[in-house]
Amino acid sequence: MEMGVRVSEIGSLFGDPVRAAMLTTLIDGRSLPAGELAFIGNVAPQTASFHLGKLLESHLIAVERQGKHKYYRLANEQVALALESLASIAPWRNEVQARSEQHSSQHRDHGLRFARSCYRHLAGRLAIQIHDALISRNFISAAGEKQYGLTDEGERWLVSLPPSKDVMLTQRDRVGRACLDWTERRHHLGGPLGVTLLSRLKEAGWLVAQPRNRALRLTLKGREGLERQLGGR
């Protein structure tokens, strides 16, 4: 019964359109002020404060103070994973509605579907391709249910990405998690190893963050590197 009550409480928090807009905006790991979250939720500052208070009480978000300002972020990766999982099981829009919206949303959604950040790890179609390539090359291996470990071959590849000087991986960096991608409905690499992978790809200049959203752009250097080393694109 306690689990059912807790699921119901969390579901009601996720289900509110204003709170859902705030939470999904924070899914890339950013910290944002209340004023910006109010704008995103299309509500007055007082209303935004009410919703943020609800999310804080339920430990879905955390707040950090810098001087007079407060910045809100997701509490942890588990919250981001829950949001992505909910999106992945949401029913697709019916065909008529999807066709009517296709033209206006095609360009906007293409970048996010191809590559985006998901709480500091890589998601999207490119993430699926890299996930599959890492498994096929034995760079990662199963280490329990929906868990991965970085192999010795995988570590050599990861630290060799430019710039490779003085790259040190902790034991935690070597542990990954299978994360269900909400646009592709397949798993990509999450967890600390997924965070490390995205960080290395960005340091190498293979992926570049896009302004105003969490889409990531694959550079020409990145395309050539992935094709050469992983057979991806």
Side-chain angles (χ1 to χ4, degrees), residues 18 21-22 25-26 31-52 61 63-64 68-73:
V18 174
M22 292 176 171
T25 298
L26 298 174
S31 298
L32 296 177
E36 188 166 345
L37 290 169
F39 177 79
I40 290 167
N42 195 30
V43 293
Q46 297 87 343
T47 306
S49 296
F50 167 78
H51 288 295
L52 291 170
I61 62 172
V63 63
E64 181 178 347
K68 298 180 180 179
H69 303 287
K70 294 180 181 179
Y71 293 86
Y72 298 86
R73 58 174 172 80

Coordinates of all heavy atoms in Angstrom, one line a residue, residues 18 21-22 25-26 31-52 61 63-64 68-73:
V18 N 2.6 22.3 -15.5 CA 3.6 23.3 -15.2 C 4.8 22.6 -14.6 O 6.0 22.9 -15.0 CB 3.0 24.3 -14.2 CG1 4.1 25.3 -13.7 CG2 1.9 25.1 -14.8
A21 N 6.8 20.7 -17.2 CA 7.6 21.6 -18.1 C 8.9 22.0 -17.3 O 10.0 22.0 -17.9 CB 6.8 22.8 -18.4
M22 N 8.8 22.3 -16.1 CA 10.0 22.6 -15.3 C 10.9 21.5 -15.2 O 12.2 21.6 -15.4 CB 9.5 23.1 -13.9 CG 8.8 24.4 -13.8 SD 8.3 24.7 -12.1 CE 7.6 26.4 -12.3
T25 N 12.7 20.5 -18.4 CA 13.8 21.5 -18.8 C 15.1 21.3 -18.0 O 16.2 21.5 -18.5 CB 13.2 23.0 -18.5 OG1 12.1 23.2 -19.3 CG2 14.3 24.0 -18.7
L26 N 15.0 20.8 -16.8 CA 16.1 20.5 -16.0 C 16.8 19.2 -16.2 O 17.8 18.9 -15.6 CB 15.7 20.6 -14.5 CG 15.2 22.0 -14.0 CD1 14.7 21.9 -12.6 CD2 16.3 23.1 -14.2
S31 N 21.1 24.1 -13.8 CA 20.5 24.7 -12.6 C 19.9 26.0 -13.1 O 20.7 26.8 -13.7 CB 21.5 24.9 -11.5 OG 22.0 23.7 -11.0
L32 N 18.6 26.3 -12.9 CA 18.0 27.5 -13.4 C 17.3 28.3 -12.2 O 16.8 27.7 -11.3 CB 17.0 27.1 -14.4 CG 17.5 26.5 -15.7 CD1 16.3 26.2 -16.7 CD2 18.5 27.4 -16.4
P33 N 17.2 29.6 -12.4 CA 16.5 30.4 -11.3 C 15.0 30.2 -11.5 O 14.5 29.8 -12.5 CB 17.0 31.8 -11.7 CG 17.3 31.8 -13.1 CD 17.9 30.4 -13.4
A34 N 14.3 30.6 -10.4 CA 12.9 30.5 -10.4 C 12.2 31.3 -11.5 O 11.2 30.9 -12.1 CB 12.4 30.9 -9.0
G35 N 12.8 32.5 -11.8 CA 12.2 33.4 -12.8 C 12.2 32.7 -14.1 O 11.2 32.8 -14.9
E36 N 13.2 32.0 -14.5 CA 13.3 31.4 -15.8 C 12.4 30.2 -15.8 O 11.7 29.9 -16.8 CB 14.7 30.9 -16.1 CG 14.9 30.4 -17.5 CD 16.4 30.3 -17.9 OE1 17.3 30.9 -17.2 OE2 16.7 29.6 -18.9
L37 N 12.3 29.5 -14.7 CA 11.4 28.3 -14.7 C 9.9 28.8 -14.7 O 9.1 28.1 -15.2 CB 11.6 27.5 -13.4 CG 13.0 26.7 -13.4 CD1 13.3 26.2 -12.0 CD2 13.0 25.6 -14.4
A38 N 9.6 29.9 -14.1 CA 8.3 30.5 -14.2 C 7.9 30.8 -15.7 O 6.8 30.5 -16.1 CB 8.2 31.8 -13.4
F39 N 8.9 31.4 -16.4 CA 8.7 31.7 -17.8 C 8.4 30.4 -18.6 O 7.5 30.3 -19.5 CB 9.9 32.4 -18.4 CG 9.8 32.7 -19.9 CD1 9.0 33.7 -20.3 CD2 10.5 31.9 -20.8 CE1 9.0 34.0 -21.7 CE2 10.4 32.1 -22.1 CZ 9.6 33.2 -22.6
I40 N 9.2 29.3 -18.3 CA 9.1 28.0 -19.0 C 7.7 27.4 -18.7 O 7.1 26.8 -19.6 CB 10.2 27.1 -18.6 CG1 11.5 27.6 -19.2 CG2 10.0 25.7 -19.0 CD1 12.8 27.0 -18.6
G41 N 7.3 27.6 -17.5 CA 6.0 27.0 -17.1 C 4.8 27.9 -17.5 O 3.6 27.5 -17.3
N42 N 5.1 29.1 -17.9 CA 4.1 30.1 -18.4 C 3.1 30.4 -17.2 O 1.9 30.4 -17.3 CB 3.3 29.5 -19.5 CG 2.4 30.6 -20.2 OD1 2.8 31.8 -20.2 ND2 1.3 30.2 -20.8
V43 N 3.8 30.7 -16.0 CA 3.0 31.0 -14.9 C 3.6 32.2 -14.2 O 4.8 32.6 -14.5 CB 2.9 29.9 -13.8 CG1 2.1 28.7 -14.4 CG2 4.3 29.4 -13.4
A44 N 2.9 32.8 -13.3 CA 3.4 34.0 -12.5 C 4.5 33.5 -11.5 O 4.5 32.3 -11.1 CB 2.3 34.6 -11.7
P45 N 5.4 34.4 -11.1 CA 6.4 34.0 -10.1 C 5.9 33.3 -8.9 O 6.5 32.4 -8.3 CB 7.1 35.3 -9.8 CG 6.9 36.1 -11.1 CD 5.6 35.8 -11.5
Q46 N 4.8 33.9 -8.3 CA 4.2 33.3 -7.1 C 3.7 31.9 -7.4 O 3.9 31.0 -6.5 CB 3.0 34.1 -6.6 CG 3.4 35.6 -6.2 CD 3.4 36.5 -7.4 OE1 3.4 36.1 -8.5 NE2 3.4 37.8 -7.1
T47 N 3.1 31.6 -8.5 CA 2.7 30.3 -8.9 C 3.8 29.3 -9.0 O 3.8 28.2 -8.6 CB 1.8 30.3 -10.1 OG1 0.7 31.2 -10.0 CG2 1.2 28.9 -10.4
A48 N 4.9 29.8 -9.7 CA 6.1 29.0 -9.8 C 6.7 28.6 -8.5 O 7.2 27.5 -8.3 CB 7.1 29.8 -10.7
S49 N 6.7 29.6 -7.5 CA 7.2 29.3 -6.2 C 6.5 28.2 -5.5 O 7.0 27.3 -4.9 CB 7.2 30.5 -5.3 OG 8.1 31.5 -5.9
F50 N 5.1 28.2 -5.7 CA 4.3 27.1 -5.2 C 4.7 25.8 -5.7 O 4.9 24.8 -5.0 CB 2.8 27.4 -5.5 CG 1.9 26.2 -5.2 CD1 1.5 25.9 -3.9 CD2 1.5 25.5 -6.3 CE1 0.7 24.8 -3.7 CE2 0.6 24.4 -6.1 CZ 0.2 24.1 -4.8
H51 N 4.8 25.7 -7.1 CA 5.2 24.4 -7.7 C 6.6 24.0 -7.3 O 6.8 22.8 -7.1 CB 5.1 24.5 -9.2 CG 3.7 24.6 -9.7 ND1 2.8 23.6 -9.6 CD2 3.0 25.6 -10.4 CE1 1.6 23.9 -10.1 NE2 1.7 25.2 -10.6
L52 N 7.5 24.9 -7.3 CA 8.9 24.5 -6.9 C 8.9 24.0 -5.4 O 9.7 23.1 -5.1 CB 9.8 25.7 -7.0 CG 10.1 26.2 -8.5 CD1 10.8 27.5 -8.5 CD2 10.9 25.1 -9.2
I61 N 13.6 17.9 -6.8 CA 14.6 18.9 -7.2 C 15.4 19.3 -5.9 O 15.0 19.0 -4.8 CB 13.9 20.1 -7.8 CG1 13.0 20.8 -6.8 CG2 13.2 19.7 -9.1 CD1 12.5 22.2 -7.3
V63 N 17.9 22.8 -4.5 CA 18.2 24.2 -4.7 C 19.6 24.5 -4.2 O 20.0 24.0 -3.2 CB 17.1 25.0 -4.0 CG1 17.1 24.8 -2.5 CG2 17.3 26.5 -4.3
E64 N 20.2 25.4 -4.9 CA 21.5 25.9 -4.5 C 21.5 27.4 -4.4 O 21.0 28.1 -5.4 CB 22.6 25.4 -5.5 CG 24.0 25.8 -5.1 CD 25.0 25.3 -6.1 OE1 24.6 24.4 -6.9 OE2 26.2 25.7 -6.1
K68 N 22.3 36.2 -3.4 CA 20.9 36.4 -3.2 C 20.0 35.5 -4.1 O 18.8 35.5 -4.0 CB 20.5 37.9 -3.4 CG 21.2 38.9 -2.5 CD 20.8 40.3 -2.8 CE 21.5 41.3 -1.9 NZ 21.1 42.7 -2.2
H69 N 20.7 34.8 -4.9 CA 19.9 34.0 -5.9 C 19.8 32.5 -5.6 O 20.7 32.0 -4.9 CB 20.6 34.2 -7.3 CG 20.7 35.6 -7.7 ND1 19.6 36.3 -8.2 CD2 21.8 36.4 -7.8 CE1 20.0 37.6 -8.5 NE2 21.3 37.6 -8.3
K70 N 18.7 31.9 -6.0 CA 18.5 30.5 -5.9 C 18.5 29.8 -7.2 O 17.8 30.3 -8.2 CB 17.2 30.2 -5.1 CG 17.2 30.7 -3.7 CD 15.8 30.3 -3.1 CE 15.7 30.8 -1.7 NZ 14.4 30.4 -1.1
Y71 N 19.1 28.7 -7.4 CA 19.1 27.9 -8.6 C 18.6 26.5 -8.3 O 19.1 25.8 -7.4 CB 20.6 27.9 -9.2 CG 21.0 29.3 -9.6 CD1 21.7 30.1 -8.7 CD2 20.8 29.7 -10.9 CE1 22.1 31.4 -9.1 CE2 21.3 31.0 -11.3 CZ 21.9 31.8 -10.4 OH 22.3 33.0 -10.8
Y72 N 17.7 26.1 -9.2 CA 17.0 24.8 -9.0 C 17.6 23.8 -10.0 O 17.8 24.1 -11.2 CB 15.5 24.9 -9.1 CG 14.9 25.9 -8.1 CD1 14.9 27.2 -8.3 CD2 14.4 25.3 -6.9 CE1 14.3 28.1 -7.3 CE2 13.9 26.2 -5.9 CZ 13.9 27.5 -6.1 OH 13.4 28.4 -5.1
R73 N 17.7 22.5 -9.6 CA 18.1 21.5 -10.5 C 17.4 20.2 -10.1 O 16.8 20.1 -9.0 CB 19.7 21.3 -10.4 CG 20.1 21.0 -9.0 CD 21.6 20.6 -8.9 NE 22.1 20.5 -7.5 CZ 21.9 19.4 -6.7 NH1 21.3 18.4 -7.2 NH2 22.4 19.4 -5.5

